[in-house]
Amino acid sequence: MKAPCMQRARGYTLVEVIIAFAVLALALALLLGTLSGATRQVRWADDAGRASLHAQSLIDQLGVGEALAPGRTQGGFENGRYRWQLDVSPWRDPAQPPAAEQPQDLSAPVLLAVSLRVAWGDAPNQQLQVSSLRLVQPEPAGAEP
């Protein structure tokens, strides 16, 4: 029978402890990477939501106070953080023949195609495109702009 002082103590070796710390470090790195990606997505969602609100505000104001006319305008919101570009052009029905072949009623309402782009960065996924149609009454012949 062996003496009690000769019994070997059981425990973890240095190699086992180092491997356990390496696995823990790898798991923490993966967790932090996931949280970082989630933070970027939350930031993008916030920016896209704000761009959507600015676009809705701009679209709602079209034709209020001044007549909507074909052309291009641009501007910015929040000190240039959000940039917008508005294109307004006469709408052409692709199923109809060209306008030169049709008689035109100059007093009839006109459909205008409205295209608004709001951008907040340089990446292609950092922009919002909104398209709509607006029915506009033409200016009376004797009216001043």
Side-chain angles (χ1 to χ4, degrees):
M1 185 168 186
K2 293 184 180 180
C5 65
M6 298 296 285
Q7 287 183 349
R8 185 169 180 193
R10 292 293 302 158
Y12 296 105
T13 64
L14 181 59
V15 172
E16 290 172 328
V17 172
I18 290 174
I19 291 174
F21 276 118
V23 169
L24 180 63
L26 180 63
L28 287 176
L30 291 174
L31 178 65
L32 289 176
T34 302
L35 292 177
S36 173
T39 303
R40 274 192 301 274
Q41 288 179 343
V42 167
R43 174 64 187 238
W44 183 88
D46 179 55
D47 289 342
R50 293 176 72 83
S52 175
L53 290 174
H54 287 312
Q56 182 178 2
S57 169
L58 198 61
I59 289 285
D60 287 347
Q61 294 174 6
L62 285 179
V64 176
E66 65 181 53
L68 187 61
R72 173 178 282 181
T73 54
Q74 56 189 8
F77 295 110
E78 296 184 19
N79 296 324
R81 180 169 180 218
Y82 293 91
R83 301 166 312 279
W84 59 269
Q85 180 176 324
L86 178 69
D87 293 313
V88 178
S89 61
W91 183 73
R92 306 268 186 250
D93 186 356
Q96 297 293 323
E101 298 175 12
Q102 293 181 354
Q104 293 182 350
D105 182 2
L106 298 178
S107 64
V110 177
L111 264 179
L112 295 178
V114 176
S115 178
L116 174 64
R117 185 179 71 86
V118 179
W120 60 90
D122 296 326
N125 69 338
Q126 292 179 325
Q127 64 181 352
L128 173 70
Q129 184 79 30
V130 179
S131 298
S132 182
L133 295 174
R134 289 289 171 106
L135 188 65
V136 177
Q137 286 287 66
E139 294 287 327
E144 292 183 22

